[in-house]
Amino acid sequence: GAGVSQSPSNKVTEKGKDVELRCDPISGHTALYWYRQSLGQGLEFLIYFQGNSAPDKSGLPSDRFSAERTGGSVSTLTIQRTQQEDSAVYLCASSSTGGGYSEQFFGPGTRLTVL
Amino acid sequence: AQRVTQPEKLLSVFKGAPVELKCNYSYSGSPELFWYVQYSRQRLQLLLRHISRESIKGFTADLNKGETSFHLKKPFAQEEDSAMYYCALLRGAQKLVFGQGTRLTINP
C-alpha cells in the first residue's frame, strides 16, 4: 500500500516568508510525528499527534513553528517568518497505535532552504 | 536528560571487514533502543529494535546497561551496507530521541 507522503519535496523560500509543509500519513494510522533533520544536528523530534488527544508540542523550537492535523489524517507544519537556521529536511512519520510503541514509518521528507 | 550519542560522524571500512557503529545513551529507567537506517535516496527505516533481539541484514546490536551502550555490529561488511545509521531511544510511549547519525561507507 501507499506509504507516508509529503509535499512539496523541495521548498526554497526567502527569509521572513511563511511556509507550509504537508504530510499524508498511512491510511488508518492514528499517530503522526514531525521531525527535523539538520546537517550536524541529527534528527530532532518536533511534534506528535495521537488521535484526538492534544498534540505533544514539546519539540517545537520556537513559537514560529506550529502544526495542525485535520480530521485525524493530513497534517500541516507551518513555519512563520522563516530564518536561515530553519533550513533542514522535515520528516513526517506515522504509526498505527499510540498505546505502546509501534513502528514509525517515515515519509521522503521536504527539503526546506531559506535564502 | 535522555540523550543518544553517536561519537562517529563518519566511518569507513573495507568490504568483508567487521563493522561496529557506536551508540551510547543516557536514560533513567529501562531503555528501549533502536537502530534506523537511511540508504541513499531512500526513506529512513527501522533496522532493528533491541527488544526483538533479531539479526537483520547480518546486523546485531546488544544492549549493555552497564556501559549504557547499544553498538551495531556486522562481522563482514558489504557494499550495500553503505548508508546513514541512526541510533534512537524511545522516550515515553512514542517519542524517539535520535543520535546525530553515522555515515557508513563500505569501500570495495
Side-chain angles (χ1 to χ4, degrees), chain A residues 3-4 33 35 37 40 42-43 45 48 56 58 95 97-98 100-104 106-108, chain B residues 9 32 34 36 38 43-46 49 84 86 90-91 93-101:
Chain A
V4 177
Y33 316 77
Y35 294 90
Q37 189 176 29
L43 275 160
F45 164 80
Y48 158 51
D56 178 344
S58 59
S95 66
T97 68
Y101 181 75
S102 294
E103 181 178 349
Q104 296 180 23
F106 284 81
Chain B
K9 288 189 177 179
E32 192 163 346
F34 307 81
Y36 276 78
Q38 190 167 27
R43 302 175 184 212
L44 189 66
Q45 59 186 284
L46 179 64
R49 182 179 177 189
M84 192 75 178
Y86 291 95
L90 187 66
R91 188 173 71 190
Q94 290 291 331
K95 289 191 295 188
L96 290 171
V97 177
F98 286 90
Q100 292 192 343

Side-chain angles (χ1 to χ4, degrees), chain B:
Chain B
Q2 294 126 351
R3 188 177 299 127
V4 176
T5 304
Q6 293 179 251
E8 304 142 325
K9 288 189 177 179
L10 301 171
L11 183 62
S12 182
V13 301
F14 285 103
K15 177 182 172 181
V19 61
E20 180 179 69
L21 292 93
K22 291 184 168 51
C23 172
N24 289 89
Y25 66 90
S26 61
Y27 185 76
S28 54
S30 292
E32 192 163 346
L33 288 146
F34 307 81
W35 277 98
Y36 276 78
V37 61
Q38 190 167 27
Y39 300 103
S40 179
R41 291 183 292 278
Q42 293 188 29
R43 302 175 184 212
L44 189 66
Q45 59 186 284
L46 179 64
L47 179 62
L48 57 79
R49 182 179 177 189
H50 95 269
I51 280 182
S52 61
R53 305 180 72 83
E54 293 175 300
S55 173
I56 306 293
K57 299 185 179 182
F59 284 97
T60 58
D62 291 320
L63 177 61
N64 185 323
K65 291 186 179 180
E67 296 183 357
T68 60
S69 68
F70 188 57
H71 303 328
L72 184 68
K73 300 177 184 180
K74 185 169 182 177
F76 306 103
Q78 299 173 298
E79 288 185 65
E80 55 264 33
D81 297 329
S82 294
M84 192 75 178
Y85 291 80
Y86 291 95
C87 183
L89 171 71
L90 187 66
R91 188 173 71 190
Q94 290 291 331
K95 289 191 295 188
L96 290 171
V97 177
F98 286 90
Q100 292 192 343
T102 298
R103 182 168 297 282
L104 176 65
T105 302
I106 307 301
N107 299 306

